[in-house]
Amino acid sequence: MLFRTRVLEKHLRDSARILDLGCGPGTDALAFAKAGHRVVGIDAVPEFLRHAKAITRKVARARFVRGDFRDLRHRGTELVGNIPFDLIWANASLIHLKKKELPPILRILKRFLIPGGTFAGTFIHGRGAGIFSGSFVPGRFFSYFLKEELRLL
């Protein structure tokens, strides 16, 4: 069973409000919207947003904004609105932060969750960080995390 499916079934009420952080090409946003949830996707890559809008155009429950999730500290309401989310979904997005950037970002994200809301994120297991040229978008930065590092957050 997909991680996304487990989160949907276990943690969300019907018609939940979801922030898809670093939504990429919109695959997860489409699945959430088709399941009846209201989705706001944010990404900094224009090509990803074009694709996300194209695949969700028949689903009225998804909208997308261009922005860097680090901007949520100062422009959060402008970017994603002022209604808190039931779920913040960070699938392979926070891996692009430097490790020292993660704790303050997580504190900011907490402000955008309803009390008792769910944060679900995926990370790359390992040590180190750096620019990787072999990804879908060449030249992106990646951080690798050990479970112990994430537990301390």
Side-chain angles (χ1 to χ4, degrees):
M1 176 184 297
L2 287 174
F3 177 58
R4 178 183 64 218
T5 305
R6 286 196 315 256
V7 169
L8 282 172
E9 291 176 357
K10 195 171 188 176
H11 297 284
L12 293 180
R13 60 181 170 80
D14 290 340
S15 197
R17 191 165 143 75
I18 299 171
L19 175 59
D20 190 352
L21 192 69
C23 64
T27 307
D28 292 331
L30 177 62
F32 291 139
K34 282 184 171 181
H37 303 290
R38 294 163 291 146
V39 184
V40 175
I42 181 172
D43 205 288
V45 180
E47 295 82 8
F48 281 163
L49 291 173
R50 275 194 289 281
H51 188 267
K53 290 174 183 177
I55 67 170
T56 60
R57 71 178 173 274
K58 294 182 181 178
V59 183
R61 297 178 154 268
R63 76 175 181 87
F64 299 93
V65 293
R66 183 173 178 196
D68 186 315
F69 48 77
R70 288 173 279 219
D71 294 339
L72 290 173
R73 176 182 303 136
H74 303 291
R75 298 179 49 222
T77 303
E78 173 190 336
L79 291 170
V80 299
N82 61 357
I83 301 170
F85 294 91
D86 300 281
L87 168 67
I88 294 179
W89 179 255
N91 186 19
S93 56
L94 297 175
I95 59 174
H96 300 295
L97 292 174
K98 293 179 181 175
K99 289 184 181 191
K100 67 181 182 181
E101 293 178 296
L102 187 57
I105 292 293
L106 292 175
R107 285 191 294 276
I108 292 164
L109 292 175
K110 189 174 181 179
R111 296 191 330 230
F112 289 91
L113 274 175
I114 63 166
T118 300
F119 169 82
T122 59
F123 296 88
I124 301 173
H125 185 264
R127 296 177 192 268
I131 303 292
F132 184 63
S133 60
S135 72
F136 183 70
V137 178
R140 290 195 300 172
F141 180 88
F142 287 82
S143 286
Y144 300 83
F145 294 87
L146 297 174
K147 288 180 183 180
E148 295 77 33
E149 292 176 286
L150 294 172
R151 275 193 207 107
L152 294 174
L153 299 173

